[in-house]
Amino acid sequence: MVKAKIILPLAALCLVSCAQYKWTQVPMDGSRVGATIPSTDNVRETLGYIDNGVYTAPNGKEYVGMVADVAKIMLDAQPVMAPVKEYLGYADQDMIKDYPESSLSNMIVDCMMTATQQVTGRKVDIGLVNFGGIRVDIHKGDVIMDDIMSMLPFKNKLCYVALKGSDVRYMVEKMAATNMQVLGGVRIKIVNHRIESFLVGGEPLDDEKVYGLATCDFLLNGGDGIQAARNAQELIVSDKLVVDAVLPYVRNLTAQGKTISYETDGRVQIIND
């Protein structure tokens, strides 16, 4: 069985609500020709080859006509697809997006905080990203560029927002009453949709203090019902994308001989009686 990622064209998302669709992986049967998923250096072995209009499949069978035409399209696309097949590392366990926190979502928002601080030169205290922006999980095994790009496919830019603690509290209270999103730099407890405790950097949230928030431009003015730029004292929209915040972390782990992994830490606790 061959696994292939089915990615909905972004143009289609303009016609219908995003909430109705999701990115997912489905099994596909390649047994008829013996095709399997190619990497950058084994295209002939996994997809076969074409010579004088005749397609020789990996299982040795020869085809002409429509099958050969489709095979040619697939084979011609491989050089263009090579960058997304770059090997990035190995995940020693499944990293599954889960509510209200997960190893995957924690990794992404923490990477965003680090990258935003680096690119803006501002101190970042809190991270915020929406669960809906994380489209697929990381599964145990080899991780390639396509996995990370499919996980974070949107061209959302990293942003720095300076907010008073009272505005941070207002924003998170709205999320607590509806749907919490991914948070970093905090430890928060929500009971029956109300904030019971809220720590930032280990200290209680101070309504008068100005905090540095790392987020993405989608959440600045109403994306997923969040207005992160409301009453902003400073706003910086960078050119770096959210996906570009995660890639250095993954590559650095691999360079150190480590596997790709992350942990949950109880940063968001939700209790509903």
Side-chain angles (χ1 to χ4, degrees):
M1 301 292 285
V2 179
K3 287 185 177 180
K5 295 181 177 66
I6 305 301
I7 308 299
L8 287 175
L10 292 183
L13 301 183
C14 298
L15 303 177
V16 293
S17 169
C18 288
Q20 298 176 9
Y21 291 88
K22 64 180 180 178
W23 273 248
T24 188
Q25 292 182 339
V26 297
M28 296 184 69
D29 186 357
S31 61
R32 184 172 183 180
V33 296
T36 54
I37 297 174
S39 62
T40 55
D41 57 359
N42 67 349
V43 173
R44 188 182 180 96
E45 293 81 0
T46 56
L47 293 183
Y49 63 94
I50 292 180
D51 185 20
N52 292 324
V54 178
Y55 169 56
T56 301
N59 61 9
K61 294 181 180 180
E62 294 184 346
Y63 297 87
V64 294
M66 185 171 60
V67 174
D69 292 342
V70 173
K72 185 176 187 305
I73 293 172
M74 293 293 295
L75 290 165
D76 289 347
Q78 296 311 303
V80 179
M81 294 175 64
V84 302
K85 297 178 183 179
E86 176 191 352
Y87 173 80
L88 296 178
Y90 182 84
D92 60 6
Q93 59 184 339
D94 288 339
M95 297 176 67
I96 308 298
K97 178 180 70 173
D98 198 13
Y99 182 88
E101 72 162 305
S102 62
S103 59
L104 184 65
S105 55
N106 285 357
M107 178 185 75
I108 291 169
V109 74
D110 289 353
C111 286
M112 287 174 60
M113 292 176 66
T114 299
T116 300
Q117 184 160 298
Q118 291 173 343
V119 75
T120 65
R122 303 294 195 271
K123 183 178 183 296
V124 170
D125 304 291
I126 304 169
L128 168 66
V129 71
N130 56 316
F131 276 104
I134 306 171
R135 307 308 292 191
V136 299
D137 303 314
I138 292 178
H139 294 283
K140 181 177 180 179
D142 290 346
V143 176
I144 63 174
M145 180 67 76
D146 182 55
D147 295 312
I148 304 300
M149 292 178 66
S150 296
M151 180 178 72
L152 298 166
F154 303 114
K155 302 297 183 182
N156 293 330
K157 296 180 179 179
L158 292 177
C159 300
Y160 169 87
V161 187
L163 292 173
K164 285 187 63 175
S166 56
D167 291 310
V168 172
R169 186 185 301 278
Y170 175 81
M171 179 176 62
V172 177
E173 281 177 341
K174 287 191 65 178
M175 288 191 287
T178 54
N179 292 306
M180 283 300 298
Q181 301 295 346
V182 184
L183 293 173
V186 308
R187 193 170 186 88
I188 185 169
K189 184 176 182 180
I190 298 168
V191 179
N192 295 327
H193 301 286
R194 298 179 63 88
I195 297 174
E196 182 174 283
S197 63
F198 195 161
L199 303 180
V200 179
E203 298 292 331
L205 178 72
D206 184 343
D207 286 347
E208 297 304 315
K209 181 178 177 179
V210 176
Y211 294 92
L213 172 73
T215 188
C216 65
D217 55 348
F218 175 70
L219 301 181
L220 293 180
N221 297 297
D224 269 350
I226 297 172
Q227 295 179 311
R230 175 182 176 272
N231 295 334
Q233 299 198 3
E234 183 180 14
L235 171 62
I236 301 174
V237 180
S238 78
D239 292 329
K240 185 181 286 289
L241 303 180
V242 173
V243 67
D244 295 326
V246 176
L247 286 170
Y249 173 77
V250 172
R251 286 194 170 111
N252 187 52
L253 286 176
T254 302
Q256 296 179 50
K258 299 179 180 178
T259 56
I260 301 169
S261 63
Y262 217 75
E263 301 294 335
T264 56
D265 52 22
R267 65 181 65 182
V268 179
Q269 301 178 45
I270 297 179
I271 302 172
N272 292 318
D273 294 338

